[in-house]
Amino acid sequence: MAERTTYHEENDIRNILKLREILRDLPPFAKDYFRARSSSAATRTRISYAQDIRVFFQFLIQMNPVYRNHTMQDFRVEDLDRVTARDIDEYMEYLKVYNTDERKSQGRKALTNGEKGLKRKMSALRSFYAWYFRQELIRTNPTVLIEMPKVHEKTIVRLDSDEVALLLDHIENCGASLTGQAKKYHDRTVERDLALVTLLLGTGIRVSECVGLDVEDLDFKNNCIHIVRKGGNEANVYFGSEVEQALKRYLAVREGITPVAGHEHALFYSTQRKRMNVRSVENLVEKYASGVTTSKRITPHKLRSTYGTALYQETGDIYLVADVLGHKDVNTTRRHYAALDESRRRQAASAVHLRED
């Protein structure tokens, strides 16, 4: 029997092919950098970096008189030495609002970058320059002379405990107010949707980890799922009885579905009998959440934050939260949940009485 190709392996193959397409647009020497990164960075990360580096060379062609008549293929590694810190500074300003000839011809809006987008693109360029500098292929690295953009932390948006219960109740019962095709659709998908949202809320896994699950990844003997983390690491994530019951109810429905060829192993099926994708799960979560709260825009990632918050409040163990959420650096977790520590410290102010009443 042929060995089963997993969702993540198939996705990796698609990403490698996509990366090759982008590299055809870049200067020939850029391939050396991406080849060197193949063992240390996931394909999705390399795709993001390749897209960002392409924007940098587009900037040089559009905005720098020296390269006005250049094409991407005309650039040589020596050109990196001709770029100054001032050019990099101008590039950062350019990134806030920019356009391409292709987008202009299609009548599409200019692209913009906020704090996170700016920092990611500058990180990509800094990594690009650093590699050629370490290889002694260039003499200068102007990117280190520029201060990296600051990213201000935002308040974590999450569901309160009562909103979690309301969301699950809403998924289960909202079909009663529907009619016609809408009701038929809900009746067909309610067990799947309830299992999926319960799994996200009960484990804190990422949406990409969720859609990548195969039915073989379920282990009811130990009540856990086997997932492939961001970056390719594998892990077992454990779940409680509520998740177990929701999954078993859905699996009973799933048995009656004949999947499209090539999708036989997927845990969660779309109505087209194919593996659900990230976007369809995002739409599903936002649809149901809008029926519970209009003041918060709830996404699958917000369900992950909801789980992380609940786990930290229950245990107070930041290392456990980091491990369960799959954060490589506990400081990432600490930054996200620092506000909870602050609220606990506030409680300490009234916990100790200096005089008896």
Side-chain angles (χ1 to χ4, degrees):
M1 179 183 276
E3 188 175 344
R4 173 168 62 95
T5 304
T6 68
Y7 163 81
H8 297 282
E9 289 168 340
E10 291 174 354
N11 206 36
D12 210 38
I13 291 169
R14 286 193 295 269
N15 284 341
I16 288 171
L17 295 175
K18 184 176 181 180
L19 177 61
R20 287 176 183 172
E21 286 181 19
I22 300 171
L23 289 180
R24 290 192 196 103
D25 293 339
L26 290 176
F29 71 86
K31 294 181 179 64
D32 296 334
Y33 164 76
F34 287 98
R35 194 179 302 113
R37 291 217 63 189
S38 62
S39 60
S40 60
T43 50
R44 189 168 60 178
T45 302
R46 283 182 283 148
I47 285 172
S48 296
Y49 270 38
Q51 290 169 332
D52 293 344
I53 297 302
R54 181 169 59 186
V55 172
F56 173 67
F57 285 106
Q58 287 170 345
F59 156 76
L60 291 177
I61 292 170
Q62 283 184 28
M63 309 302 291
N64 193 315
V66 174
Y67 302 108
R68 189 62 53 84
N69 297 318
H70 271 53
T71 68
M72 288 276 189
Q73 304 305 310
D74 292 330
F75 283 97
R76 298 292 177 265
V77 69
E78 296 81 17
D79 288 305
L80 295 180
D81 264 325
R82 302 174 70 180
V83 176
T84 65
R86 182 173 180 176
D87 292 323
I88 303 296
D89 212 24
E90 289 176 355
Y91 175 56
M92 279 182 60
E93 186 63 30
Y94 168 85
L95 287 174
K96 293 176 182 176
V97 182
Y98 66 96
N99 215 336
T100 63
D101 292 336
E102 182 182 3
R103 292 181 70 86
K104 287 178 184 176
S105 66
Q106 296 171 350
R108 297 163 69 187
K109 291 181 180 179
L111 293 162
T112 60
N113 281 287
E115 292 176 339
K116 284 188 177 180
L118 277 174
K119 187 166 185 178
R120 194 195 76 183
K121 285 181 169 56
M122 290 305 298
S123 294
L125 187 62
R126 184 172 278 192
S127 171
F128 188 71
Y129 257 91
W131 187 82
Y132 288 99
F133 188 76
R134 286 195 304 271
Q135 301 300 311
E136 298 183 339
L137 295 171
I138 56 176
R139 299 183 307 277
T140 60
N141 183 358
T143 64
V144 298
L145 303 176
I146 304 298
E147 188 174 344
M148 288 289 282
K150 291 182 179 178
V151 177
H152 296 88
E153 293 296 328
K154 295 182 179 179
T155 303
I156 299 175
V157 177
R158 53 185 172 263
L159 291 172
D160 297 327
S161 57
D162 61 323
E163 291 173 327
V164 169
L166 285 171
L167 175 61
L168 297 175
D169 288 344
H170 179 63
I171 297 172
E172 207 164 24
N173 302 316
C174 68
S177 62
L178 302 174
T179 58
Q181 287 299 116
K183 181 170 177 54
K184 288 181 181 178
Y185 182 85
H186 177 266
D187 291 345
R188 284 173 58 198
T189 61
V190 61
E191 294 297 351
R192 178 202 69 184
D193 297 350
L194 195 57
L196 198 155
V197 173
T198 303
L199 179 64
L200 292 173
L201 282 166
T203 61
I205 60 173
R206 298 177 176 89
V207 63
S208 59
E209 295 164 352
C210 180
V211 299
L213 284 171
D214 288 343
V215 69
E216 293 87 355
D217 294 323
L218 290 176
D219 176 2
F220 288 114
K221 181 180 178 182
N222 298 295
N223 265 15
C224 71
I225 48 175
H226 186 75
I227 64 170
V228 178
R229 290 286 194 195
K230 183 180 175 182
N233 294 325
E234 298 183 17
N236 289 325
V237 175
Y238 295 87
F239 54 78
S241 60
E242 290 175 290
V243 175
E244 176 191 6
Q245 292 165 17
L247 286 170
K248 285 182 175 178
R249 286 196 302 270
Y250 165 63
L251 288 175
V253 174
R254 183 185 178 279
E255 285 180 6
I257 300 172
T258 304
V260 171
H263 296 262
E264 296 87 353
H265 299 281
L267 175 57
F268 292 111
Y269 288 138
S270 69
T271 51
Q272 287 77 40
R273 298 175 290 117
K274 297 179 179 180
R275 183 187 295 274
M276 292 186 75
N277 58 39
V278 169
R279 188 68 205 141
S280 61
V281 175
E282 289 173 341
N283 290 337
L284 180 155
V285 169
E286 290 183 38
K287 177 187 74 171
Y288 285 120
S290 65
V292 173
T293 174
T294 55
S295 61
K296 302 173 183 176
R297 182 175 174 268
I298 300 300
T299 64
H301 193 74
K302 303 302 188 296
L303 300 187
R304 178 171 160 83
S305 297
T306 299
Y307 173 79
T309 300
L311 182 61
Y312 186 59
Q313 286 175 330
E314 286 295 320
T315 66
D317 188 341
I318 199 71
Y319 292 95
L320 174 64
V321 177
D323 183 51
V324 173
L325 292 181
H327 289 163
K328 291 182 179 178
D329 184 355
V330 72
N331 289 318
T332 301
T333 320
R334 201 183 302 281
R335 283 196 303 273
H336 279 88
Y337 298 100
L340 298 179
D341 277 331
E342 187 65 30
S343 66
R344 290 155 73 99
R345 284 193 288 271
R346 284 200 188 97
Q347 291 175 12
S350 57
V352 177
H353 299 279
L354 302 182
R355 293 187 182 185
E356 294 295 331
D357 293 334

